[in-house]
Amino acid sequence: MQRYTSFAEFWPFYLREHSRALTRAWHYTGTSLVVLLALAALLTGNFLLFAMMPVAGYFFAWISHWRIERNRPATFTYPLWSLAADFRMWALWLTGRLGPELKRAGIA
């Protein structure tokens, strides 16, 4: 397995590991839930909701890797870069700017 030494190198790999639109959709669901849980925790003062964030995010992500992509989640090897890349992918999708990134990574 290739080792990545920078986030810039890791990013195209991360996108290729999420080559199927359904995998990305499951990730968007999990990431959206994480953001909603964080907002709910802050707004309600119920800080136990913060504990649910990793479960919500990783459940959808890992299921999509095992059932759709049939690959090993990048989180296991690159936990921080994977987290950052997930939020980057989600933000680019929300703003309609993910397409060019996927094309540069050889997807779509």
Side-chain angles (χ1 to χ4, degrees):
M1 175 182 207
Q2 180 178 347
R3 298 293 302 173
Y4 298 98
T5 58
S6 73
F7 185 78
E9 291 176 349
F10 174 76
W11 174 241
F13 162 76
Y14 182 85
L15 291 177
R16 287 189 297 273
E17 292 294 294
H18 300 79
S19 64
R20 296 177 184 221
L22 188 55
T23 300
R24 294 190 301 274
W26 276 69
H27 275 65
Y28 305 147
T29 300
T31 304
S32 297
L33 281 174
V34 165
V35 171
L36 290 173
L37 285 167
L39 289 173
L42 293 172
L43 293 172
T44 65
N46 182 357
F47 298 117
L48 289 176
L49 292 173
F50 284 126
M52 295 174 60
M53 290 169 52
V55 175
Y58 288 124
F59 172 79
F60 288 95
W62 291 353
I63 291 296
S64 69
H65 282 286
W66 291 321
R67 302 296 257 165
I68 300 165
E69 290 287 341
R70 306 241 185 245
N71 63 15
R72 185 174 184 263
T75 303
F76 297 146
T77 308
Y78 300 95
L80 296 179
W81 284 353
S82 183
L83 181 63
D86 189 64
F87 277 97
R88 181 179 182 187
M89 183 174 69
W90 179 74
L92 290 169
W93 168 72
L94 279 177
T95 59
R97 298 178 298 145
L98 184 60
E101 296 289 326
L102 292 172
K103 283 186 181 181
R104 275 193 287 281
I107 304 161

